Structure formats: C-alpha cells, structure tokens
C-alpha cells in the first residue's frame, strides 16, 4: 500500500492566530489512532510560555498571551478548553517494552491537535500532554502535575539550547484543578509539546503485534517521508528506515553521554523514530561522574543507568528491527540477516559519534589512535575523585591549579593533553573556542530545577524564568562567568548522589 498525503486535507493558508494544521498521521490506518478531544478544565492559567518557539511555529499566539494576560485565549487553547482552527484531535496507539516487558499502551493522557505547518514549511506535531483521559488511559486519570510538566519544559528547552535533538515545549498551563498522586493532591497542568513527530519504536511494535502488514508498510512510508525524505525512493524502504534510525539514535545517545544526560526511562515507547529525545519523566543530569548514575526511584537494578544508555538504545533498536521483520524481506531468514546487518552497525556508529564529541570537548581537531585512551583516563580520574562532570570539562584548562587538580595523577594527564594539543596546528584560542562550543557551562542542575518548580507551585514563576534564561545560553562563557550565573554552576552539596526522580506524575 502506498501512503500519500491527501491533498484535500491540506490547509492552504494559515487561519486565525496563525494556525495551519494538517493531519497526515490521521490518515494512517485506523489501528494507529483514535479520535478523542481534550477534556475541559476549570480555570486555565498560563504559567510559562515559549514566545520564540511560538514565533517559529508561525503562531500569533505570542501576541494573545501578552495582550490578554495569563487567562486569555492562549490559556483556553493550550489547556484544551478551546480547539484551535483546523484541529482534528486524536490519541495515538502504541505498544512498548517497559523495563524489558512488552505492553500495549497508547497516549493515555496526550492528545495530538495536528501538525502545524510553519512559515518555513516545516511540519511539527502539536500535542497537549495531560489533556484528559483517552481510550488508552487504562486506570490513569489522563492528567499531569504542574511540577512534572514544568520539569519537562525546563529540561527539554535546556537540551534544545545545548543543540541536542529533542521535542520542544511551547507552554505549560495550570488547570486550576487538583489531581491525586501518591503524595497527595497536586496542582494539575497541561504541557503543549511540539515534536517532529510522536512516532515511537513502540508504534511499530504495536502494528507488528497486530500482524497488519499493510499498516506496517504505510507506517514505514509515512515515517520515511516525514523524517528521512531523502530515502523515500529506497529499494527496500523498511531496511533504509532501520539503518537511518540506527544512525540517528547512535548520534543522539552519544550527545546525551557527552553532556551527562540520564534519560531514566528508555522504554521502547520513549524512543522516537525522528531521533529526538522524548518523554522527560525521571530524567536528570549527572553531577559527580559515575557511569552507574541512576536517578529514577523505580529503576532499582539500574537498567537505565547513565553508562548503560548506549547498550539499551541498541536493545530498543533490536525491538524495532523485530517489528519490521515481516516487511524487511519475504523470507524470514533473509529478513533476520538484514536486521542483524543493520543492528551490527550501531556499536561502531555510536563509538564514532562519541569519540568525535569527546575530541571536540578536548579541543582536538584531528584524530590520533590514542585519543580514546586519553579520554578514558580523564573519565577514570573523574570517577575516582567524584569530580563534577560538567565543571571538569568546562574548567579543564585551570583545573590543575585547584586542590584536586594538583594530584600527581591529574598533573600527568594534563601533560599528556598538553603534548597532544601541541601536535596539532591550531592555536590555543581555536582549542578554547571548540571546547566552549561543546562543553556546556550550565546544565539544569537538579537542586536548581526542584527549587524553581517548588516556587512555581507556590505561584512564584520568577525563579523558573531566571533559570530558563540561564539555561538558554549554555555555551556562552562570557555570560556564564557573570556573577549572577555563578550560582547556577555550583554542584549539589553531595554531588547529586542522593537525588531521586519519580515517574508517571
Ligand atoms: P510514561 O511513563 O510517561 O512514558 O507513560 C507510559 C504510559 O502511561 C503512556 O501510555 C502514558 O500515556 C500512560 N500514562 C502515564 N500517566 C498517565 C495518566 N496520568 N493517565 C493516563 N495514562 C497515563
Ligand atoms: Mg512515554
């Protein structure tokens, strides 16, 4: 079955407010989605609003939010009380392996309004997360807490500022309603999430489990067209898609590792085919370097620990390959051979991206065979001394003058690094520039995020706004050295070890 976007369903020109919604996903076979709208809320109020993203999307909504105050038209739309023109709301079906076990899931609290076509012709999903129950809600209430949605907003926008592919956050609107969680009544909120798409490894697993080959081929074609259009004419589309997704995930995970990001819940339903970081639940940034770092309270065995992420990504990609088997080749054996061929490339691709990223952090412009060992030695030292991962990279040049850096082991490492830099033609300024562009000076440190969320829950968004402003320029060292930013660079007192995050809130 050939998948085509129905031209009649295309919005020809932007409607009121700059909305120009299309619905290519909605035209996929019915087993992939169900029509359902948001459930209205009592007293919506905009808590945080991403003006720049709204402008990129072509939404004039930026103007409404300021002109009409926190409870105006933007609050009505981004809470789900009023549908924007052209919206065709739906919940997406998907399955997934959660902690290694297969489950059927689907959007239990998220509703896709459609795909906004930007003035530059890009297509972005606009989804309301926490917008009320859907047929996939199981025993859940379809809602989200203000704290969890602000957390996603802060961390996803920080990731974007670092140059890491991610879903974006357009707005968080408090619902004015209380919702019940383990720790009692919490304020509810809706997050407007913007993404290249919300197609997950679990989306493919869902179709494969239903054994609908036509739907699977349609989903392959749709995904290729949206995220890998250069491969649309491939001889074997499922094989081309698998290879392209493996490459993007290898690159993405290497970027996570480079900045010390721990996703925390890398279930296959939380891995996007677009190569964007998706589903910010129990995620957090590592402070003291330790590959075993785990923040999620429910990840008791450390399945999703910092150092396991590349391996888990490969495991998830194997689930994608399995889901594609029936369309990879008519003969099962040949299909398995193709799947293994593609999966076999992950390790080498990941290693290549990781090394390239780490070389940039060291200010290395060319390649030498011993570079991997040089990086590993530094990481070993960080681990042994519980050094702050972010600050070690950011201050590598001057670290030798500190108490920790005066240790013989580090001094020896510095000499190796110095000798290595001397073997390349670039100047110290070139090295510094490359390093600054690859070592974020500020990350969303967990205690600062918690502080901002707690203040926002009490009605003070100033702390959150200041944090967001600092996180928007992670590579701006002139800014990072200013007195008012210094406090955001201080690690948690205990190296962040005791920090715990919670899922599904
Ligand atoms: P997550 O842990 O956020 O990736 O969610 C896993 C699954 O649980 C997804 O299918 C969600 O839609 C669903 N889910 C999480 N929280 C809720 C909730 N409060 N109500 C209904 N479904 C939920
Ligand atoms: Mg999820």
């Amino acid at each position: 079955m050939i998948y085509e976007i129905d031209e009649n369903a295309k919005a020809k020109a932007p409607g009121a407010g700059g909305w120009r919604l299309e619905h290519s996903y909605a035209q996929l076979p019915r087993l992939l989605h169900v029509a359902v709208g948001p459930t209205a809320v009592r007293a919506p109020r905009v808590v945080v609003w991403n003006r720049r993203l709204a402008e990129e999307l072509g939404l004039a909504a930026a103007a409404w939010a300021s002109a009409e105050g926190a409870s105006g038209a933007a609050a009505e739309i981004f809470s789900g009380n009023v549908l924007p023109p052209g919206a065709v709301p739906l919940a997406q079906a998907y399955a997934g392996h959660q902690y290694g076990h297969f489950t059927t899931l689907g959007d239990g609290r998220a509703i896709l309004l459609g795909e906004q076509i930007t003035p530059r012709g890009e297509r972005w999903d606009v989804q309301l997360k926490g917008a009320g129950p859907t047929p996939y809600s199981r025993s859940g209430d379809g809602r989200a807490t203000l704290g969890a949605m602000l957390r996603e907003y802060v961390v996803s926008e920080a990731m974007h500022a670092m140059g890491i592919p991610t879903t974006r956050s357009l707005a968080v609107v408090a619902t004015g309603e209380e919702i019940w969680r383990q720790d009692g009544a919490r304020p509810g909120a809706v997050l407007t999430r913007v993404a290249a798409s919300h197609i997950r490894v679990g989306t493919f697993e869902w179709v494969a489990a239903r054994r609908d080959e036509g739907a699977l081929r349609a989903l392959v074609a749709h995904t290729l067209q949206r995220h890998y259009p250069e491969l649309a004419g491939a001889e074997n589309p499922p094989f081309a898609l698998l290879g392209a997704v493996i490459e993007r995930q290898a690159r993405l995970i290497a970027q996570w590792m480079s900045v010390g990001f721990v996703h925390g819940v890398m279930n296959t339903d939380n891995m996007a085919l677009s190569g964007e970081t998706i589903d910010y639940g129990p995620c957090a940034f590592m402070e003291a370097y330790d590959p075993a770092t785990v923040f999620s309270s429910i990840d008791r065995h450390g399945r999703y620990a910092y150092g396991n992420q590349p391996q888990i990504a490969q495991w998830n990609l194997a689930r994608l390959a399995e889901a594609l088997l029936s369309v990879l080749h008519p003969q099962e054996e040949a299909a398995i051979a193709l799947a293994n061929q593609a999966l076999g490339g992950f390790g080498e691709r990941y290693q290549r991206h990781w090394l390239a990223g780490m070389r940039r952090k060291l200010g290395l412009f060319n390649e030498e065979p011993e570079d991997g060992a040089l990086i590993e030695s530094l990481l070993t030292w960080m681990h042994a001394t519980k050094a702050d991962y972010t600050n070690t990279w950011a201050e590598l040049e001057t670290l030798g003058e500190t108490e920790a850096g005066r240790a013989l082991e580090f001094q020896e490492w510095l000499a190796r690094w110095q000798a290595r830099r001397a073997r390349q033609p670039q100047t110290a300024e070139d090295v510094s520039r490359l390093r600054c562009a690859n070592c974020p000076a500020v990350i969303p440190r967990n205690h600062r995020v918690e502080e901002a969320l707690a203040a926002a829950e009490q009605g003070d968004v100033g702390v959150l706004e200041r944090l967001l402003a600092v996180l928007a320029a992670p590579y701006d060292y002139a800014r990072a050295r200013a007195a008012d930013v210094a406090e955001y660079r201080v690690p948690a007192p205990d190296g962040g070890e005791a920090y715990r995050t919670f899922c599904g809130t």
Side-chain angles (χ1 to χ4, degrees):
M1 177 158 105
I2 302 296
Y3 170 73
E4 276 176 305
I5 291 179
D6 176 0
E7 288 297 319
N8 297 327
K10 280 196 174 188
K12 298 287 188 261
W19 288 98
R20 189 179 169 194
L21 292 168
E22 292 188 358
H23 306 283
S24 69
Y25 187 89
Q27 292 158 61
L28 282 167
R30 286 304 312 272
L31 82 164
L32 277 159
H33 46 86
V34 57
V36 55
T39 304
V41 301
R42 197 186 308 138
R45 182 179 55 80
V46 175
V47 177
V48 53
W49 169 252
N50 196 333
R51 179 181 296 268
R52 274 185 62 185
L53 179 58
E55 280 165 8
E56 281 172 42
L57 291 169
L59 295 179
W64 323 327
S66 53
E68 302 179 27
S71 312
E76 293 295 329
I77 287 185
F78 298 111
S79 63
N81 277 8
V82 171
L83 287 177
V88 179
L90 60 80
Q92 295 180 323
Y94 50 86
H97 277 82
Q98 298 193 304
Y99 289 91
H101 303 284
F102 183 79
T103 337
T104 56
L105 297 157
D107 287 332
R109 55 171 172 174
I111 287 171
L112 180 69
L113 297 178
E115 301 143 20
Q116 170 75 0
I117 308 301
T118 73
R120 294 170 57 191
E122 296 158 336
R123 177 181 299 263
W124 294 102
D125 270 11
V126 179
Q127 189 201 61
L128 302 180
K129 184 171 174 178
T134 77
Y136 308 121
S137 295
R138 296 172 290 167
S139 56
D141 60 2
R143 294 297 183 190
T145 63
L146 176 61
M149 296 305 97
L150 288 176
R151 200 154 193 291
E152 170 153 350
Y153 188 107
V154 171
V155 185
S156 64
E157 288 305 303
M159 291 286 271
H160 174 73
M162 287 183 200
I164 300 176
T166 176
T167 62
R168 303 288 307 275
S169 297
L170 180 64
V172 174
V173 177
T175 58
E177 295 175 0
E178 281 188 336
I179 56 177
W180 287 90
R181 291 295 179 262
Q182 270 167 339
D183 49 353
R186 316 290 301 176
V190 177
L191 169 79
T192 303
R193 180 159 70 179
V194 174
S197 84
H198 288 82
I199 300 167
R200 307 143 188 270
V201 169
T203 315
F204 284 80
E205 290 180 278
W206 166 244
V207 181
R210 298 286 297 265
R211 300 185 184 282
D212 186 331
E213 239 178 71
L216 192 54
R217 285 186 196 282
L219 183 60
V220 167
H222 175 88
T223 309
L224 272 177
Q225 191 176 357
R226 276 183 87 165
H227 303 308
Y228 306 92
E230 69 281 8
L231 299 175
E235 202 178 313
N236 183 339
F239 185 65
L241 177 64
L242 181 60
V245 174
I246 287 172
E247 166 61 21
R248 260 189 216 178
Q249 284 296 331
R251 181 162 173 267
L252 177 68
I253 308 299
Q255 287 179 291
W256 289 1
M257 300 302 278
S258 169
V259 299
F261 177 73
V262 185
H263 183 285
V265 60
M266 287 177 70
N267 295 330
T268 56
D269 50 302
N270 294 337
M271 184 183 258
L273 275 275
S274 64
E276 292 172 318
T277 310
I278 189 171
D279 272 1
Y280 291 85
C283 64
F285 279 76
M286 176 171 67
E287 298 224 328
Y289 177 75
D290 184 352
T293 300
V294 173
F295 295 110
S296 172
S297 58
I298 61 167
D299 191 3
R300 292 204 182 83
H301 304 289
R303 178 182 170 91
Y304 299 137
Y306 170 76
N308 283 351
Q309 296 185 123
Q311 205 183 309
I312 290 292
Q314 186 166 20
W315 192 89
N316 289 349
L317 290 164
R319 306 289 79 72
L320 175 63
E322 266 169 21
L324 289 169
L325 275 184
S326 67
V327 291
L328 272 175
H329 196 281
Q331 276 138 20
E332 197 184 359
E333 254 175 60
I336 292 172
L338 284 174
N340 284 332
Q341 183 192 325
L343 289 166
F346 177 84
E348 184 269 323
R349 286 164 188 272
Y350 168 73
Q351 198 58 30
R352 185 164 43 76
H353 286 297
W354 182 83
L355 249 183
M358 289 294 173
R359 279 196 179 100
R360 288 192 292 267
K361 287 173 93 81
L362 282 178
L364 303 180
F365 288 81
N366 57 0
E367 297 178 13
E368 283 191 11
E370 292 301 305
D371 291 344
L374 184 67
I375 296 156
E376 290 297 347
S377 304
L378 177 61
L379 294 175
T380 303
W381 178 80
M382 282 192 216
H383 192 190
T385 59
K386 300 193 172 193
D388 183 79
Y389 182 73
T390 303
N391 290 352
T392 301
W393 283 112
E395 293 153 14
L396 216 43
E397 280 96 344
T398 52
L399 211 55
E401 292 140 40
T402 66
E403 196 187 321
R406 272 195 286 273
L408 182 64
E409 206 194 339
F410 187 72
Q411 291 293 326
E412 282 173 358
W413 183 86
L414 271 183
R416 279 166 72 193
W417 183 39
Q418 172 61 40
R420 173 66 180 83
R421 279 176 294 161
R423 290 195 296 274
Q424 61 181 12
Q426 281 78 11
T427 64
E429 288 74 54
D430 293 335
V431 168
S432 173
R433 207 171 307 120
L434 183 61
R435 282 182 20 72
C436 286
N438 288 279
C439 301
V442 282
I443 53 162
R445 291 195 183 267
N446 306 315
H447 59 292
R448 302 315 301 249
V449 175
E450 293 301 329
E451 167 193 74
L453 304 191
E457 284 196 5
Q458 298 303 314
D460 171 12
V461 290
V463 186
L464 180 77
E465 279 166 1
R466 283 193 292 281
L467 177 65
L468 287 169
V470 167
L471 294 173
Y475 302 116
D476 183 346
Y477 274 74
R479 173 92 188 89
R481 289 190 183 113
D484 61 322
V485 179
E487 59 176 302
Y488 293 94
R489 302 181 66 190
V490 179
D494 63 348
E497 272 176 273
Y499 186 68
R500 287 289 164 271
T501 52
F502 301 91
C503 240
T505 50

